[in-house]
Amino acid sequence: MSNPEQLIADFEERMAESRRKAELMVSEIEAVSVSERSKDGQIGVKVDHAGNLVGLEIGMGVRDKPDLAEEILRTVKAAQSKLAAAMRAEVTDPVGPEVMNQLVSRLEQAFPAPEPEGFAAPPVPPGDDDRFVPEEERQRPPAPKPPEPPRAPRPPSDTGHDDDYFSDGDYLR
């Protein structure tokens, strides 16, 4: 049987090593940041490890543009989408690859790659049957449907038992 003091000392040593590895990984994660510039180079952004905007540079030539806010947001999204790759490249995984894979997966889900510029998402059709109907006709209220004729009553069963399951050999009536 093992010495209880030795078991406790070994356990505390393993815990201290795990704590050291976790602190190392946290410090490496917190050091990760991504910088990105707009296509024209007039807007520069920097995001931290959590995707927060921590730096912004706006060139004099674009300060009066009407779509300045959209261009800044596009640049921020482009920087955020590169966080997962930066995390994988800059952080060692001393606690195991499972932790790194989960971290990168969460970053990829939180910050997907931005849509290419110049392309617009297709409009969502109001209904499948309205795809080829002109806009003017879609706005009109639908025509009322004529009432259905009443159905003929079902003949009573002579045998006294339920014959709904193909007893007469034909499932179409």
Side-chain angles (χ1 to χ4, degrees):
M1 185 136 151
S2 298
N3 182 0
E5 287 93 22
Q6 183 61 39
L7 287 173
I8 292 173
D10 290 344
F11 177 75
E12 288 175 349
E13 184 180 326
R14 286 193 310 265
M15 288 301 295
E17 179 66 18
S18 294
R19 188 176 308 116
R20 185 192 64 75
K21 287 179 180 180
E23 288 171 357
L24 172 67
M25 188 170 186
V26 166
S27 67
E28 288 179 356
I29 287 172
E30 289 175 346
V32 171
S33 65
V34 175
S35 296
E36 183 72 19
R37 295 203 77 73
S38 61
K39 283 199 306 186
D40 61 4
Q42 292 291 315
I43 299 171
V45 298
K46 183 176 182 180
V47 295
D48 67 1
H49 66 281
N52 300 317
L53 181 64
V54 294
L56 175 63
E57 300 171 10
I58 302 174
M60 293 300 288
V62 295
R63 291 186 184 205
D64 294 330
K65 285 179 67 173
D67 63 339
L68 178 62
E70 290 87 13
E71 186 65 29
I72 291 171
L73 289 175
R74 266 194 300 274
T75 309
V76 168
K77 286 180 181 180
Q80 288 172 335
S81 70
K82 295 179 181 180
L83 271 174
M87 197 69 69
R88 193 174 293 281
E90 297 178 26
V91 176
T92 61
D93 51 351
V95 294
E98 309 86 36
V99 174
M100 180 57 69
N101 290 338
Q102 188 175 32
L103 176 65
V104 168
S105 173
R106 287 190 181 184
L107 284 171
E108 289 170 343
Q109 288 174 354
F111 306 115
E115 301 223 358
E117 288 184 41
F119 293 98
V124 177
D128 288 338
D129 54 346
D130 289 346
R131 287 188 294 187
F132 301 109
V133 178
E135 187 68 33
E136 306 85 40
E137 290 182 27
R138 275 192 231 154
Q139 294 174 352
R140 288 188 216 150
K145 295 182 180 178
E148 293 184 22
R151 293 185 175 179
R154 193 170 187 177
S157 175
D158 294 344
T159 60
H161 71 302
D162 189 12
D163 67 344
D164 281 344
Y165 294 103
F166 318 115
S167 63
D168 61 351
D170 187 14
Y171 61 91
L172 296 176
R173 293 187 177 206

